[in-house]
Amino acid sequence: MKHFFWLLLLSCFSFFGQTTIQGKIIDAATLEPLPYVNVFSLEIRQGVYTNEDGIFRFEIMPGLKEVTISCLGYKTLVVPVGTFQNGEKVIPLELDEYLLDEVILTSKPLHEIMSELIDNSKQRLAQNVKLETYFREFLIINNQYSKFCDGLVDYYIKPKRKDKVKPYVIVDQSRAFELTAADKIESNGKMDMSAVNSLSDFKNKANDFFNLDIIENYLTKAKDSEKYDFEMRSQVSSDGRTLEKIIIKPLKTVQQQLIEGEIVYDAKDRIILDVDLKTAASHSQYAELRSMLLFKFKIYDLQLKMSFLKEGEKYIPNYKKEIFDFYVKFGKQINDRFKVVNDLLVNHYYDFNINIPEEEDLYQKKSIYENGMNYTSEYWNTNMAMPLSSKEEKILKTLQNL
C-alpha cells in the first residue's frame, strides 16, 4: 500500500517539474568505473543503475533530500541531493570492510551445490507476479550494428507447470532504429540479413529469472563437476549480512569450451543474489561447430549477468544482461555471425491482485523492433533505465533523428 501511495503522489504532482542528477560511480581504490550500481531514493522507492562506464542519470522530484548508492561488496553510501551540481559528480565507493572473509571447505561436488541453490531460488521466487521492466537490445550481424530497440514492457508471469512459467506481455512504449542501411549489411549467404530484426523472442526474456535454465544447463550435471575447479568463500559484512561466493574456473586439462565466473548467494536462505558467468577466455579455442537439426552453429561467446534483491521476506528479480555471440551455417542460405546484446531491468514488482490482460491486448510479435517508434515520454532516461555506454551512445547519435 505504501508503494502505491508514493506512485500516486508522483503522478499527482508531476506537473511541478523534475530535476535530473547525474554522476559517475568509481572504485575508491582503483578509480575504475563501477557498472550495475543502484542509485536509489528510499523516499519514493525508485532508482536507476549505472551503465558499464559507471554513469547514471536520475530524474527526481523536487524536495527529495538524498539518494542511496549500493553495490554488492561495497559500502552503501547516502549522498545529499544538494551536493549534485551542474555536470557530472564523481562518487567513489569503498570496498566493504568484511568482518570475516574465509574459504569454505566442502566435500560436496559443484553440481550438487548448484542444484540446491537453484531449487531453493525457484521455490522462493513467486511465480504469479507482474514485472514492469525496461528492455533493450542491440543486434550485430557480421560485425556491423544492424538494429536497436528498447521499450517499457510489462511481463505477467503465471505458473505453467511445476518447473516452468508462462509470460503474458504488454509493450507500453518503444523505440526502434535501423543502425545500418539495409543495402550495407554484409551477407555471406544468400539470405537477406537486413530483414532480421531479432534472433529470439523477447517475450521469454523474463523467464530466466524464474527458470534459471542457463545456469542449470552448465553447472548442475554430475559430469560438470569433473570439468571445473571451484572455490567457496564466506563473507560477513559490517551490516551483519552473511554472503557466500562460488568462484568457478575450468580445469586447464579439459579441452572443451567452458564457462567461468562467480555466483553470490545468501548464506542463510541459500538463494542466489548475483550471477556473473561468461565463456572462459582460456578455453575459447575449443569452440566447435555443432549440428542441430537442419543447421550448424558455433558459439564464440556467452555472457550472463543476473541479480536478485532480498527485501525482508521478498525475493525479487532485479536485472539481467545477456550477450550471445555465435556463427550459423544453413546450407547456402546462411553463413553468418550474429551477436545479440540485451538488458532487462525490473522497475516495479507486484505479487498480489495479478490480473492477466485480455488476449487482444497482449503483444504478439517476436521483437520490440516490430512495434516501431511508439512512445509518449523519454522513458529511456527514467523508469530505472540504465544509460547506454559511451560506445552505444556514439552509435545511436549517428542517427539523424536523435
Side-chain angles (χ1 to χ4, degrees), residues 118-149:
I118 289 174
D119 289 344
N120 289 341
S121 299
K122 285 182 179 181
Q123 290 175 15
R124 280 292 299 272
L125 282 166
Q127 294 191 353
N128 186 10
V129 300
K130 176 187 176 183
L131 304 179
E132 293 182 355
T133 75
Y134 169 73
F135 174 84
R136 72 173 174 226
E137 181 174 84
F138 279 96
L139 174 62
I140 303 158
I141 302 176
N142 295 323
N143 296 317
Q144 295 173 280
Y145 279 82
S146 174
K147 304 288 174 61
F148 170 83
C149 61

Side-chain angles (χ1 to χ4, degrees), residues 3-4 6 132 136 231 248 271 278 341 354 368-369 386 389 391:
H3 175 69
F4 287 106
W6 282 115
E132 293 182 355
R136 72 173 174 226
E231 179 183 285
I248 303 164
I271 52 176
K278 62 182 179 180
V341 181
I354 307 301
I368 291 183
Y369 187 89
M386 181 183 300
S389 67
K391 179 180 179 181

Side-chain angles (χ1 to χ4, degrees), residues 24-291:
K24 181 176 183 178
I25 311 297
I26 62 173
D27 184 296
T30 66
L31 304 184
E32 292 293 321
L34 291 176
Y36 318 120
V37 177
N38 186 203
V39 182
F40 194 77
S41 169
L42 293 173
E43 298 172 78
I44 61 172
R45 304 288 297 171
Q46 288 186 340
V48 296
Y49 283 79
T50 60
N51 63 14
E52 63 185 51
D53 301 317
I55 303 295
F56 72 88
R57 290 192 298 269
F58 190 7
E59 283 197 27
I60 62 172
M61 301 300 298
L64 293 188
K65 297 178 181 179
E66 59 191 24
V67 292
T68 300
I69 300 174
S70 63
C71 181
L72 198 63
Y74 289 83
K75 292 181 179 179
T76 297
L77 189 65
V78 177
V79 181
V81 170
T83 63
F84 288 89
Q85 305 295 331
N86 293 333
E88 185 177 277
K89 178 180 177 66
V90 178
I91 303 172
L93 287 189
E94 297 181 355
L95 286 171
D96 201 348
E97 295 176 356
Y98 291 111
L99 303 178
L100 174 67
D101 187 353
E102 62 179 14
V103 175
I104 301 173
L105 301 179
T106 179
S107 59
K108 276 189 176 184
L110 177 62
H111 73 278
E112 289 186 11
I113 297 171
M114 289 309 309
S115 294
E116 178 192 0
L117 292 175
I118 289 174
D119 289 344
N120 289 341
S121 299
K122 285 182 179 181
Q123 290 175 15
R124 280 292 299 272
L125 282 166
Q127 294 191 353
N128 186 10
V129 300
K130 176 187 176 183
L131 304 179
E132 293 182 355
T133 75
Y134 169 73
F135 174 84
R136 72 173 174 226
E137 181 174 84
F138 279 96
L139 174 62
I140 303 158
I141 302 176
N142 295 323
N143 296 317
Q144 295 173 280
Y145 279 82
S146 174
K147 304 288 174 61
F148 170 83
C149 61
D150 70 355
L152 296 182
V153 183
D154 295 342
Y155 289 92
Y156 295 80
I157 308 295
K158 300 285 286 186
K160 186 176 181 181
R161 60 177 192 264
K162 184 177 180 181
D163 60 340
K164 295 293 181 181
V165 295
K166 179 176 177 60
Y168 299 85
V169 177
I170 297 288
V171 176
D172 294 322
Q173 301 187 56
S174 66
R175 294 188 299 171
F177 299 108
E178 182 181 66
L179 302 181
T180 304
D183 59 350
K184 300 296 183 181
I185 292 292
E186 176 188 355
S187 180
N188 297 325
K190 291 185 177 180
M191 183 176 289
D192 181 12
M193 290 295 102
S194 65
V196 178
N197 296 329
S198 180
L199 295 169
S200 61
D201 192 337
F202 86 100
K203 295 192 294 295
N204 294 320
K205 292 301 179 182
N207 291 21
D208 290 336
F209 285 125
F210 301 89
N211 295 333
L212 300 169
D213 284 346
I214 296 179
I215 309 172
E216 197 167 24
N217 290 340
Y218 277 90
L219 298 174
T220 60
K221 299 179 180 65
K223 61 181 181 180
D224 293 330
S225 295
E226 304 170 357
K227 302 174 185 177
Y228 292 96
D229 185 18
F230 71 98
E231 179 183 285
M232 298 180 63
R233 302 191 72 86
S234 175
Q235 301 171 327
V236 180
S237 63
S238 53
D239 63 3
R241 292 185 305 158
T242 302
L243 304 177
E244 293 181 355
K245 177 191 296 185
I246 305 175
I247 304 170
I248 303 164
K249 295 182 179 180
L251 293 172
K252 295 180 180 179
T253 55
V254 179
Q255 296 185 358
Q256 182 180 343
Q257 190 181 50
L258 299 172
I259 62 172
E260 63 182 358
E262 300 178 350
I263 296 175
V264 178
Y265 59 95
D266 182 279
K268 178 183 177 182
D269 295 331
R270 301 190 69 79
I271 52 176
I272 295 171
L273 298 177
D274 193 80
V275 176
D276 193 353
L277 298 173
K278 62 182 179 180
T279 301
S282 59
H283 288 59
S284 60
Q285 71 266 32
Y286 302 123
E288 298 179 351
L289 188 64
R290 306 176 186 179
S291 297

